[in-house]
Amino acid sequence: MGPAIAGFAWLKAEHRPDEAIAVAQAFVDQLNARGEGCRVDRLVGIAPFQTNGNRLRRWVSGRGVEVPELQMEFDGACPLRVTLRLSSTQGWQVVKHGSHAG
């Protein structure tokens, strides 16, 4: 019973796109180092939300598992949204960013 429960929990768990997170975090770190805008401290959300199960289902059906665009929400002195797009040749790239109301 334990492996079945662990498998079900994994399928329902949020997928954290490490490469995209690293690109967004490096961008935020550059903004913080230059002192542009409000200081941003931590990642608080990723949209669209993806589970491991959704990615597995797309892979099994022969579709791409990566969504083409992600929005990373950061918090700190003011909220910041960083939008990334996946390029087939250059990986994840920041295409837009901006502060917004919390």
Side-chain angles (χ1 to χ4, degrees):
M1 187 74 154
I5 292 172
F8 182 77
W10 180 84
L11 288 171
K12 295 297 182 183
E14 179 182 13
H15 169 71
R16 306 257 318 156
D18 293 333
E19 184 181 335
I21 291 169
V23 169
Q25 187 63 58
F27 179 78
V28 166
D29 291 346
Q30 287 178 348
L31 288 179
N32 284 337
R34 292 193 307 231
E36 294 182 16
C38 300
R39 178 139 187 95
V40 178
D41 298 322
R42 62 183 168 38
L43 177 66
V44 294
I46 302 169
F49 178 83
Q50 300 181 81
T51 65
N52 292 322
N54 285 342
R55 292 172 58 81
L56 180 61
R57 186 172 34 259
R58 289 195 301 267
W59 179 76
V60 167
S61 69
R63 296 182 295 173
V65 296
E66 296 293 347
V67 294
E69 185 172 289
L70 291 171
Q71 293 183 350
M72 306 277 177
E73 297 288 336
F74 290 86
D75 198 17
C78 59
L80 177 72
R81 177 177 295 141
V82 178
T83 303
L84 299 102
R85 284 201 187 115
L86 184 59
S87 164
S88 61
T89 58
Q90 298 177 336
W92 289 104
Q93 297 180 316
V94 174
V95 294
K96 183 171 47 170
H97 73 283
S99 295
H100 59 86

